[in-house]
Amino acid sequence: MRQRAIRNLAMLEMTQARATRILDAAAGGKNNFVADRDVIRRYDQAAPITTTAARAVLEYLRRVVRHLASEGVDQFVIVGSGVPSGLPPGRQLHDVARDALRASVPRVVYVENDPMVLAGARGDHRARHRTSSAS
């Protein structure tokens, strides 16, 4: 698994902006590159609301997941999930669903094709699995 993550990172195109990393950059995340930040700068020059809008989109997603979970929905598919640093730790969508459900454990599937997101998610999944199985 680690070799696959390294191969994914090696194929990473850092000179072209990607939507997931642009959103991350706009929301104040750390998983983005110069090309992504350049796009945000250009957007901000055209309409200085980009970062506010990006944060609003992420907050909207949290509210939707919280509402659906509070109504009993316990399965979610998040398409175009993006880079995790756009959402603070403990406020990821699976955290929001878990906190709102209380009575059951949600099933959350994140769908993404950005190699950086995939490599990070695989590493994060293994780290959480080691932490949870060590308890």
Side-chain angles (χ1 to χ4, degrees):
M1 286 294 224
R2 181 173 166 81
Q3 289 176 344
R4 186 182 312 154
I6 291 169
R7 277 196 308 271
N8 283 341
L9 285 174
M11 295 182 333
L12 192 60
E13 176 56 57
M14 297 185 293
T15 60
Q16 282 197 316
R18 296 282 302 232
T20 55
R21 295 190 312 251
I22 292 169
L23 180 60
D24 180 68
K30 61 180 172 54
N31 293 322
N32 51 73
F33 299 117
V34 171
D36 308 305
R37 293 186 294 273
D38 285 346
V39 167
I40 293 300
R41 277 192 283 280
R42 287 193 306 258
Y43 286 169
D44 278 339
Q45 287 172 349
I49 192 167
T50 307
T51 55
T52 302
R55 290 184 177 123
V57 165
L58 294 174
E59 184 54 40
Y60 173 75
L61 287 173
R62 285 194 290 267
R63 286 194 318 267
V64 167
V65 169
R66 185 180 310 113
H67 172 74
L68 291 173
S70 71
E71 293 294 320
V73 174
D74 64 354
Q75 296 183 22
F76 298 87
V77 175
I78 313 295
V79 178
S81 58
V83 183
S85 72
L87 294 168
R91 295 190 67 197
Q92 301 286 326
L93 297 177
H94 58 272
D95 297 322
V96 171
R98 184 191 59 234
D99 293 347
L101 274 170
R102 299 188 197 281
S104 65
V105 177
R107 291 180 144 178
V108 181
V109 175
Y110 293 94
V111 180
E112 184 55 70
N113 68 352
D114 186 319
M116 182 173 162
V117 176
L118 297 174
R122 287 186 182 112
D124 184 47
H125 171 72
R126 284 192 306 276
R128 274 194 310 234
H129 181 69
R130 281 194 303 270
T131 303
S132 64
S133 57
S135 306

